[in-house]
């Protein structure tokens, strides 16, 4: 019996971000696995089982889904945004690598979704128009000094930086420290975009200068885009500004 495992990206929230491929994979699944709030976004289907788990139980969730697939079921693990960006696709690969040989014979499909940084960038213009990188500020799975080194390297090399997981209840200080680190490399007027709950009813977008950025502007549903020295803000009467990074870079940022 050969089971199937799909790891499906739901996009940032709004159902219009759900791709037709993701809809097909969700419809085909006999069982869905995922963090409760993500599962809640998927309309109920008769006969389809659902296994909601806590956000921090990624390893157990991947293991449970793989076990069911190995027994012949067609299962889907759901992730917000894209499943390959700080999410379940890597957790599933880790479980396959560490698991029994039969996991390697499964049909595994990763179904991409619109990741938060792309949804936020689209809302505000084109801040990712030139070279950029993405970093998770969570030090649950890596040490904080590695995060600081990566912030230093990215900011000094002139990358625009998308920051995922800026804070959580258990990690209240990390974003403030990151700002302090970034200010060592970037001018005070560098644009910083705060995109909160993009694609959901409580969406909120804000642009401030790096010198004004504070921890109170972020929560667990916020994606932060820190500009480079090249990133520009176009003020517009009665409208949110357009933030963009030109496609050409004249200098190596110091
Ligand atoms: N796989 C997800 C990211 C998971 S990490 C993706 O591709 O988007 C969780 C972090 O993603 C959050 O802390 C936040 O920084 C960001 N995020 C997820 N959904 C978001 C949304 N709708 N608006 C803004 N940021 C979001």
């Amino acid at each position: 019996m050969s089971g199937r495992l799909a790891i499906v990206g739901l996009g940032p929230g709004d159902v219009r971000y759900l791709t037709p491929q993701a809809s097909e994979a969700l419809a085909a699944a006999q069982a869905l696995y995922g963090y409760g709030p993500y599962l809640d976004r998927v309309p109920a289907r008769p006969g389809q089982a659902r296994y909601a788990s806590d956000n921090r139980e990624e390893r157990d969730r991947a293991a449970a889904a793989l076990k069911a697939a190995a027994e012949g079921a067609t299962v889907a693990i759901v992730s917000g945004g894209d499943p390959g960006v700080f999410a379940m696709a890597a957790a599933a690969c880790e479980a396959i690598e560490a698991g029994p040989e039969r996991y390697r014979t499964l049909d595994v499909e990763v179904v991409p979704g619109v990741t938060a940084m792309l949804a936020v960038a689209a809302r505000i213009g084109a801040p990712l128009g030139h070279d950029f990188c993405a970093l998770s500020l969570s030090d649950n799975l890596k040490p904080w000094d590695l995060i600081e080194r990566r912030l230093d390297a990215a900011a000094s090399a002139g990358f625009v930086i998308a920051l995922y997981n800026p804070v959580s209840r258990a990690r209240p200080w990390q974003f403030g420290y990151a700002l302090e680190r970034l200010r060592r490399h970037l001018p005070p007027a560098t644009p910083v975009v705060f995109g909160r709950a993009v694609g959901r009813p409580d969406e909120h977008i804000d642009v401030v200068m790096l010198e004004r950025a504070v921890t109170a502007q972020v929560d667990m549903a916020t994606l932060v885009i820190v500009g480079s020295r090249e990133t520009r803000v176009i003020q517009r009467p009665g409208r949110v500004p357009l933030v963009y990074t030109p496609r050409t870079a004249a200098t190596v940022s110091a």
Side-chain angles (χ1 to χ4, degrees):
M1 233 187 330
S2 74
R4 287 170 56 195
L5 172 66
I7 307 147
V8 181
L10 301 178
D14 189 323
V15 68
R16 291 174 304 163
Y17 285 115
L18 190 74
T19 68
Q21 187 194 12
S23 296
E24 277 171 26
L26 295 173
Q30 294 163 325
L32 298 183
Y33 293 79
Y35 175 45
Y38 295 149
L39 281 179
D40 291 344
R41 287 203 221 149
V42 182
R45 230 178 229 101
Q48 189 177 60
R50 284 161 181 258
Y51 302 99
S53 46
D54 189 85
N55 211 7
R56 286 155 299 182
E57 294 165 11
E58 294 187 342
R59 188 170 304 208
D60 296 347
R61 184 189 306 151
L66 274 161
K67 187 165 176 290
E71 286 163 3
T74 296
V75 305
I77 303 177
V78 299
S79 267
D82 181 273
V85 179
F86 307 124
M88 285 306 298
C93 289
E94 284 167 22
I96 291 168
E97 190 173 21
E101 198 57 34
R102 67 181 191 279
Y103 284 3
R104 301 183 187 217
T105 65
L106 291 173
D107 180 1
V108 176
E109 183 182 34
V110 180
V111 180
V114 177
T115 188
M117 70 177 175
L118 299 186
V120 172
R123 280 286 189 275
I124 199 76
L128 307 180
H130 193 71
D131 298 347
F132 65 90
C133 65
L135 236 96
S136 169
L137 280 192
S138 169
D139 56 353
N140 289 340
L141 300 170
K142 60 188 169 188
W144 179 254
D145 66 343
L146 178 62
I147 297 174
E148 286 193 333
R149 274 171 46 205
R150 288 182 177 168
L151 288 169
D152 288 344
S156 61
F159 287 106
V160 171
I161 307 170
L163 295 175
Y164 285 77
N165 295 309
V167 283
S168 75
R169 224 163 293 144
R171 297 182 295 103
W173 54 264
Q174 279 77 349
F175 184 64
Y177 274 53
L179 287 173
E180 188 274 318
R181 208 79 202 177
L182 294 167
R183 287 184 181 120
R184 297 183 189 185
H185 305 279
L186 296 167
T190 303
V192 180
V193 178
F194 293 92
R196 184 178 181 281
V198 170
R200 301 184 210 148
D202 48 343
E203 170 176 322
H204 183 77
I205 307 269
D206 221 359
V207 184
V208 302
M209 294 192 290
L210 180 57
E211 65 178 349
R212 294 274 173 83
V214 289
T215 299
Q217 284 163 295
V218 295
D219 66 4
M220 281 172 73
T222 307
L223 183 284
V224 183
I225 299 178
V226 180
S228 70
R229 286 164 183 269
E230 319 279 342
T231 305
R232 307 181 60 79
V233 180
I234 307 173
Q235 298 295 347
R236 302 185 300 166
R239 292 180 183 277
V240 290
L242 281 173
V243 178
Y244 82 105
T245 307
R247 291 171 301 148
T248 53
T251 57
V252 176
S253 306

Short mmCIF file of all heavy atoms in Angstrom, two decimals, residues 29 38 94 104 129 165 186 202 235:
data_model
loop_
_atom_site.label_atom_id
_atom_site.label_comp_id
_atom_site.label_asym_id
_atom_site.label_seq_id
_atom_site.Cartn_x
_atom_site.Cartn_y
_atom_site.Cartn_z
N ALA A 29 -7.26 14.88 0.52
CA ALA A 29 -6.74 14.26 1.74
C ALA A 29 -7.84 13.57 2.54
O ALA A 29 -8.94 14.09 2.70
CB ALA A 29 -6.07 15.33 2.61
N TYR A 38 -4.60 27.11 11.80
CA TYR A 38 -4.47 26.89 10.35
C TYR A 38 -5.55 25.92 9.86
O TYR A 38 -6.16 26.14 8.82
CB TYR A 38 -3.08 26.35 10.00
CG TYR A 38 -1.95 27.30 10.28
CD1 TYR A 38 -0.69 26.83 10.62
CD2 TYR A 38 -2.13 28.68 10.20
CE1 TYR A 38 0.37 27.70 10.89
CE2 TYR A 38 -1.08 29.55 10.46
CZ TYR A 38 0.15 29.05 10.81
OH TYR A 38 1.19 29.91 11.08
N GLU A 94 12.86 16.11 7.93
CA GLU A 94 13.65 15.60 9.06
C GLU A 94 13.08 14.27 9.55
O GLU A 94 13.83 13.33 9.83
CB GLU A 94 13.62 16.60 10.23
CG GLU A 94 14.52 17.80 10.00
CD GLU A 94 14.26 18.93 11.01
OE1 GLU A 94 13.71 18.65 12.10
OE2 GLU A 94 14.60 20.08 10.69
N ARG A 104 10.68 6.45 2.85
CA ARG A 104 11.33 6.94 1.62
C ARG A 104 10.61 6.47 0.37
O ARG A 104 10.94 6.90 -0.73
CB ARG A 104 12.80 6.50 1.60
CG ARG A 104 13.51 7.06 2.82
CD ARG A 104 14.98 6.75 2.87
NE ARG A 104 15.49 7.20 4.17
CZ ARG A 104 16.68 7.74 4.38
NH1 ARG A 104 17.50 7.87 3.37
NH2 ARG A 104 17.05 8.14 5.57
N GLY A 129 12.57 44.44 -4.04
CA GLY A 129 12.88 44.57 -5.47
C GLY A 129 14.32 44.30 -5.82
O GLY A 129 14.64 44.10 -7.00
N ASN A 165 8.88 35.76 12.84
CA ASN A 165 8.87 35.44 14.29
C ASN A 165 9.56 36.52 15.13
O ASN A 165 10.46 36.22 15.92
CB ASN A 165 9.59 34.09 14.54
CG ASN A 165 8.86 32.93 13.91
OD1 ASN A 165 7.66 32.76 14.10
ND2 ASN A 165 9.56 32.12 13.14
N LEU A 186 22.98 50.49 9.86
CA LEU A 186 22.07 51.17 8.92
C LEU A 186 21.75 52.58 9.39
O LEU A 186 21.66 52.84 10.60
CB LEU A 186 20.77 50.36 8.80
CG LEU A 186 20.93 48.96 8.20
CD1 LEU A 186 19.66 48.14 8.41
CD2 LEU A 186 21.26 49.06 6.71
N ASP A 202 -8.00 41.74 10.48
CA ASP A 202 -7.31 42.69 11.35
C ASP A 202 -5.95 43.12 10.80
O ASP A 202 -5.07 43.53 11.56
CB ASP A 202 -7.16 42.10 12.75
CG ASP A 202 -6.61 40.68 12.74
OD1 ASP A 202 -6.64 40.04 11.67
OD2 ASP A 202 -6.14 40.20 13.80
N GLN A 235 6.06 59.20 -0.56
CA GLN A 235 4.87 59.67 0.16
C GLN A 235 3.78 60.00 -0.86
O GLN A 235 4.06 60.55 -1.93
CB GLN A 235 5.19 60.90 1.01
CG GLN A 235 6.24 60.65 2.09
CD GLN A 235 5.79 59.65 3.17
OE1 GLN A 235 4.62 59.32 3.27
NE2 GLN A 235 6.74 59.18 3.97
#
